[in-house]
Amino acid sequence: MKRHYVAPLCLTAALAGLFFCRTEPASSADPTAQDPGVRQSVQSQSVQSSTKPGDPLPGLTKGQLDFFNASKDEFSGAETVAEGLGPRMNLDSCQGCHAQPAVGGSSPMTNPQIAFATKNGMTNSIPAFISANGPVREARFKTNPDGSPDGGVHSLFTIAGSMQGCNLQQPDYDTAILANNVIFRIPTPVFGAGLIEQIPDSVLLANQAADAGTKQALGIRGRPNIVLAGSTVSGQPNHNGNDGTAARFGWKAQNKSLLLFAGEAYNVEMGITNELFQTERDETPECLSGSTPNDVGNPDGTSMATTASGIEKFAAFMRFLAPPAPSPTLPGGAFSIWKGRGLFMSTGCAQCHTPTLRTGNSTVVALSNKPVNLFSDLLIHDMGAGLADGISQGQAGPSEFRTAPLWGLGQRIFFLHDGRTSNLVDAIQQHFSFGTPSQAPSEANAVIGNYNRLSEQDKQHLLNFLRSL
């Protein structure tokens, strides 16, 4: 078995002619750097546009704007059993998961899953990992009872109690937790998702190849999650196809397009069958209502706003949703944010969290040839044992994750794939992980070492910059 080792945290990149260490000791007089906390809305502070969270992209046509508004209503609405909700699900609306700081965002401060568990007479108990002030979560089992890989979502709740004769049992999470067989995921924000969808593969690959010497010295590799036949997503056969292109949505970049992302979420998170997922996840006869698929378009309408199905509207809402707008002054002031951005670059953070990529020539003018200030390379990276969840999705292995886009980070409450922390400092430190005989160290180790050697004042500048995004 190949033995991995941890590269020194202070290293010289001879080929690149760069030195990645702080040569003077950090001042003990500096107050300890702290997470500035969730930034409030900064609509008037934006230097990029007048958009606020939840607004549409600038430059949409009237028809596209009408489609966006109709899609936003669909995205925000709560589903019912009569509309196909269940039999197993995690929540009854997209907005419930994507609510912070506005519709389309991430997990809100108050978890809606608590109230939903007993909505309309349902008799669900609350799993131990769900709390009122914790993040919205979905749960996945690592393995099946026979030891074979699972990885799929096991819905938290059932419609038992709200439908006569339906007596479904919730999964046995207590046993799974004791066996260390359950992992969690929290919602990813979908602001600016249409811009991400339109970044050509050639741009991703060129960015992957850029600064090769620096990345090698830092131990950064990274690769796209390529859509190939025979791979699995969420523990199931890959619905993305086999076109050999780069997927980019989800914690492991497991979904290729927003339509697939929407269709899978509608089926997995709410249990609603649709054009992409035609069969129920649980086919207990007493717990089924209506015909399948539950979600279809309206052929009697005269525009996409009225004819499109639910998943088409979900995809359109995400596609036309404006990206987050950063603040030039909050928190810490303009100088601190400017200083922090420079440190973000010099410590090596930007080697994975690429500040800007660019869309290609899209049929939607508002998405065509635009800068995408997402702070991500959209590649999957090995984050070591500390963040490993034991789940493979597509080509992404058990310890690999997509570089999380940082735009909008300033207004997020929960961090990392499972929402384990609300503290940005802790989230940064969680990127570090030692290697073992069977597990490579985290690709972020050298960068985290560079961050740790900053003075407390410089760390604060960097934290202020991140919270300004």
Side-chain angles (χ1 to χ4, degrees), residues 73-270:
D73 290 342
E74 187 84 16
F75 193 92
S76 303
E79 306 288 351
T80 66
V81 172
E83 293 170 320
L85 180 70
R88 298 182 181 275
M89 63 278 149
N90 289 322
L91 204 60
D92 59 352
S93 76
C94 296
Q95 181 176 339
C97 294
H98 299 276
Q100 171 63 29
V103 58
S106 56
S107 186
M109 179 65 75
T110 301
N111 189 340
Q113 291 174 309
I114 298 292
F116 174 73
T118 54
K119 187 176 181 179
N120 296 327
M122 294 190 299
T123 55
N124 296 290
S125 59
I126 306 295
F129 51 83
I130 298 296
S131 61
N133 59 354
V136 171
R137 278 175 165 160
E138 67 171 26
R140 298 170 184 260
F141 290 172
K142 299 178 188 178
T143 61
N144 293 306
D146 63 1
S148 60
D150 184 344
V153 176
H154 289 252
S155 298
L156 306 188
F157 308 119
T158 81
I159 59 173
S162 67
M163 188 172 181
Q164 188 173 6
C166 179
N167 297 306
L168 291 174
Q169 298 296 311
Q170 294 172 258
D172 184 359
Y173 289 115
D174 291 340
T175 299
I177 291 171
L178 288 174
N180 191 30
N181 192 38
V182 61
I183 64 97
F184 312 113
R185 298 275 177 83
I186 66 172
T188 57
V190 296
F191 297 129
L195 293 167
I196 292 175
E197 188 178 41
Q198 292 300 316
I199 298 171
D201 280 18
S202 59
V203 172
L204 300 182
L205 296 175
N207 183 63
Q208 178 189 8
D211 295 332
T214 301
K215 290 174 181 174
Q216 183 179 18
L218 290 169
I220 294 171
R221 299 177 298 277
R223 60 196 176 95
N225 193 345
I226 299 296
V227 177
L228 294 174
S231 61
T232 60
V233 174
S234 301
Q236 303 298 321
N238 188 354
H239 295 281
N240 284 301
N242 59 356
D243 68 351
T245 59
R248 57 200 64 196
F249 297 107
W251 281 105
K252 298 208 173 199
Q254 70 269 18
N255 286 113
K256 169 64 181 179
S257 73
L258 289 173
L259 186 61
L260 284 162
F261 195 48
E264 184 182 51
Y266 213 21
N267 183 242
V268 171
E269 305 298 342
M270 288 183 270

Side-chain angles (χ1 to χ4, degrees), residues 356-380:
T356 303
L357 298 173
R358 195 170 185 86
T359 66
N361 189 20
S362 172
T363 55
V364 177
V365 173
L367 296 171
S368 186
N369 298 303
K370 303 294 184 185
V372 189
N373 303 317
L374 74 169
F375 290 90
S376 171
D377 57 11
L378 299 178
L379 304 179
I380 50 174

Side-chain angles (χ1 to χ4, degrees), residues 1-5 434-441:
M1 183 176 293
K2 182 178 180 180
R3 180 172 295 274
H4 297 284
Y5 67 94
F434 286 110
T436 70
S438 60
Q439 172 69 60

